[in-house]
Amino acid sequence: MHRFSKKVSMTVVKRLPKYYQYLSDLQLNDIEKISSRELASLMGLTASQIRQDLNSFGGYGQQGYGYNVGELREAIKEILGLDSEYNCIIIGGGNMGHAIANYERFKREGVILKGVFDVNPLTVGTVIADVVVKHMDEIDEFIKNNEIDIAILCVPREVGQIVATQITDLGVKGILNFSPLDLDVPSDVVVENVNITDSLFTLTYLLGE
Amino acid sequence: MHRFSKKVSMTVVKRLPKYYQYLSDLQLNDIEKISSRELASLMGLTASQIRQDLNSFGGYGQQGYGYNVGELREAIKEILGLDSEYNCIIIGGGNMGHAIANYERFKREGVILKGVFDVNPLTVGTVIADVVVKHMDEIDEFIKNNEIDIAILCVPREVGQIVATQITDLGVKGILNFSPLDLDVPSDVVVENVNITDSLFTLTYLLGE
């Protein structure tokens, strides 16, 4: 649960991972403080946008000093919910599932891969990122016995909705959806779509502009 | 080049691939016409949003009839630039590059995979989606000899900018960027970012709300 109660706009929310990334980089480079102007120039924003964004979470800067990189990073980490751990499963152990399973970053930020599921007999039983791929027949039992917070959906479009309904019925509350369809889920479930084809089409559009 | 000249907002542009997807589905199901109300309910928008969106491209509907699915799909296909073909290369033949190379959809929409490049000796020489992976040493020559429109960047963060500079110097104008960093490119180059970690963090944020 977040420590602030104000409703924050999705535009700001969408920028938070970027703040987190830049602040993590700064910390790695042993930079301890940064002004809103410097941070703005790094991130391609204006200083006033930076101040406004961070104010909407309570404001972490000090007049004439700027931001303490470590503190601001910790604050944003907490706001992003990355001070907690999340148990996750990947559904669909094809190329995309494989790619995601091997994202070092996920584990480093506390998103722990507990299981990978597939229906392909050639994939079931193989090992992906130290996890043995299980058959979808076992998923109900598995979700019931492990506290799964996040499911990463890498299944074909045709079965996306069926799988989403199945796992949300079992109590999964978060879906990172790589299947190219809009999922219909209960209102207490959050879905974040990564639609690669849509991104490609935005690019072909922009190329013609 | 697009046949309209009005500046269209990015919000509308970002919705176009979704229109295209839904209209393609309708066509596959032999549905020939649809009202803005029906299309709105399918897409989770309001009828007035639909009319406004499509009007910004010249308006394809007819009062009391609705939209001709096939015609509207063709119009949006053209707006998205999908009536042309694009030569593309994938840089980075790891799991993510592999996943993208095997996206059937890309080829179906005229985005043709011409080459895959990597530096890993274990990957160079292997075949991904019918393409033999070449070493990065060969990329300059390859881009010069083939008209490459789009590069799909699946390289580690550390080398993302170096590679982007190299390929844009060679004339590549479109980048679909899976490397988790903001690229600095000339103003006539378009970049569309797919930042999977950012999407995960948005999800963990929303889970805490």
Side-chain angles (χ1 to χ4, degrees):
Chain A
M1 213 49 63
H2 303 312
R3 59 174 170 183
F4 52 88
S5 53
K6 252 199 291 185
K7 186 79 189 156
V8 176
S9 85
M10 264 320 274
T11 316
V12 179
V13 170
K14 290 276 178 191
R15 274 206 286 266
L16 285 175
K18 200 182 284 270
Y19 280 107
Y20 187 58
Q21 178 70 65
Y22 278 95
L23 290 164
S24 300
D25 287 350
L26 289 168
Q27 201 174 40
L28 269 179
N29 289 306
D30 292 324
I31 293 165
E32 284 172 19
K33 62 177 188 169
I34 191 162
S35 68
S36 47
R37 205 162 43 82
E38 290 163 328
L39 191 54
S41 128
L42 266 180
M43 293 185 54
L45 297 168
T46 67
S48 106
Q49 263 175 318
I50 298 270
R51 284 189 297 265
Q52 238 175 352
D53 283 3
L54 299 179
N55 269 336
S56 69
F57 290 104
Y60 298 94
Q62 255 178 279
Q63 192 85 40
Y65 172 86
Y67 298 99
N68 176 307
V69 169
E71 280 176 21
L72 184 56
R73 180 181 176 279
E74 279 309 303
I76 290 179
K77 179 175 177 161
E78 195 185 319
I79 292 168
L80 284 172
L82 297 174
D83 52 340
S84 307
E85 283 205 344
Y86 299 88
N87 290 335
C88 101
I89 54 173
I90 292 177
I91 307 178
N95 287 309
M96 183 55 73
H98 226 104
I100 305 300
N102 285 293
Y103 260 44
E104 286 300 321
R105 186 73 192 280
F106 279 32
K107 197 199 291 178
R108 215 162 63 227
E109 299 292 357
V111 178
I112 312 297
L113 183 62
K114 290 290 183 176
V116 180
F117 294 86
D118 206 301
V119 289
N120 185 339
L122 295 176
T123 307
V124 173
T126 62
V127 176
I128 298 181
D130 296 332
V131 169
V132 180
V133 180
K134 291 185 166 58
H135 193 279
M136 276 298 283
D137 289 347
E138 301 177 52
I139 201 170
D140 288 29
E141 196 67 17
F142 189 89
I143 292 178
K144 275 179 210 155
N145 293 335
N146 297 271
E147 282 183 32
I148 300 304
D149 307 293
I150 295 173
I152 303 177
L153 225 59
C154 304
V155 299
R157 184 173 157 78
E158 300 75 55
V159 295
Q161 184 59 56
I162 297 167
V163 172
T165 303
Q166 184 180 3
I167 58 176
T168 52
D169 281 353
L170 291 163
V172 173
K173 296 287 182 238
I175 298 177
L176 187 60
N177 177 34
F178 286 85
S179 302
L181 81 163
D182 294 317
L183 299 173
D184 192 8
V185 297
S187 60
D188 63 340
V189 173
V190 291
V191 177
E192 184 66 19
N193 294 307
V194 182
N195 193 324
I196 293 169
T197 310
D198 283 7
S199 297
L200 176 72
F201 292 171
T202 305
L203 185 66
T204 58
Y205 171 86
L206 293 170
L207 277 170
E209 250 192 347
Chain B
M1 213 50 62
H2 303 313
R3 60 174 170 183
F4 54 87
S5 54
K6 251 197 294 181
K7 186 77 189 157
V8 176
S9 85
M10 267 318 277
T11 315
V12 178
V13 170
K14 290 275 178 191
R15 273 205 287 266
L16 286 175
K18 199 181 284 270
Y19 279 108
Y20 187 59
Q21 177 72 63
Y22 277 96
L23 291 162
S24 301
D25 288 349
L26 289 168
Q27 202 175 39
L28 270 180
N29 290 307
D30 291 322
I31 292 165
E32 285 173 19
K33 61 176 189 168
I34 190 161
S35 68
S36 48
R37 203 162 45 81
E38 289 163 329
L39 191 54
S41 126
L42 266 181
M43 292 184 55
L45 297 168
T46 68
S48 107
Q49 263 175 317
I50 298 270
R51 285 189 297 264
Q52 238 175 353
D53 283 3
L54 300 178
N55 269 336
S56 68
F57 291 103
Y60 297 94
Q62 254 178 279
Q63 192 83 43
Y65 172 85
Y67 298 99
N68 176 307
V69 169
E71 281 176 22
L72 184 56
R73 179 181 176 278
E74 279 310 303
I76 290 179
K77 179 176 176 158
E78 194 184 319
I79 292 168
L80 284 172
L82 297 174
D83 52 341
S84 308
E85 281 205 345
Y86 299 88
N87 291 334
C88 101
I89 54 173
I90 292 177
I91 307 178
N95 287 311
M96 183 56 74
H98 225 105
I100 305 300
N102 285 293
Y103 259 47
E104 286 300 321
R105 187 72 192 281
F106 279 31
K107 196 199 292 177
R108 216 162 62 227
E109 300 291 356
V111 178
I112 314 295
L113 183 63
K114 290 289 183 177
V116 179
F117 295 86
D118 207 301
V119 289
N120 185 341
L122 295 176
T123 307
V124 173
T126 62
V127 176
I128 298 181
D130 296 332
V131 169
V132 179
V133 180
K134 291 184 168 57
H135 194 278
M136 277 298 283
D137 288 347
E138 300 178 54
I139 202 170
D140 288 29
E141 197 67 18
F142 189 89
I143 292 179
K144 275 179 208 154
N145 293 334
N146 297 270
E147 283 182 31
I148 300 303
D149 307 293
I150 295 174
I152 303 178
L153 225 60
C154 305
V155 300
R157 183 174 157 80
E158 299 75 55
V159 295
Q161 183 59 54
I162 298 167
V163 173
T165 303
Q166 185 180 4
I167 58 175
T168 53
D169 281 353
L170 291 162
V172 173
K173 294 288 182 239
I175 299 176
L176 188 60
N177 177 34
F178 287 86
S179 302
L181 81 163
D182 294 318
L183 299 173
D184 193 8
V185 297
S187 61
D188 62 340
V189 173
V190 290
V191 178
E192 184 67 19
N193 293 308
V194 182
N195 193 323
I196 293 169
T197 310
D198 284 7
S199 297
L200 176 72
F201 293 170
T202 304
L203 185 67
T204 57
Y205 171 86
L206 293 170
L207 277 171
E209 251 192 344

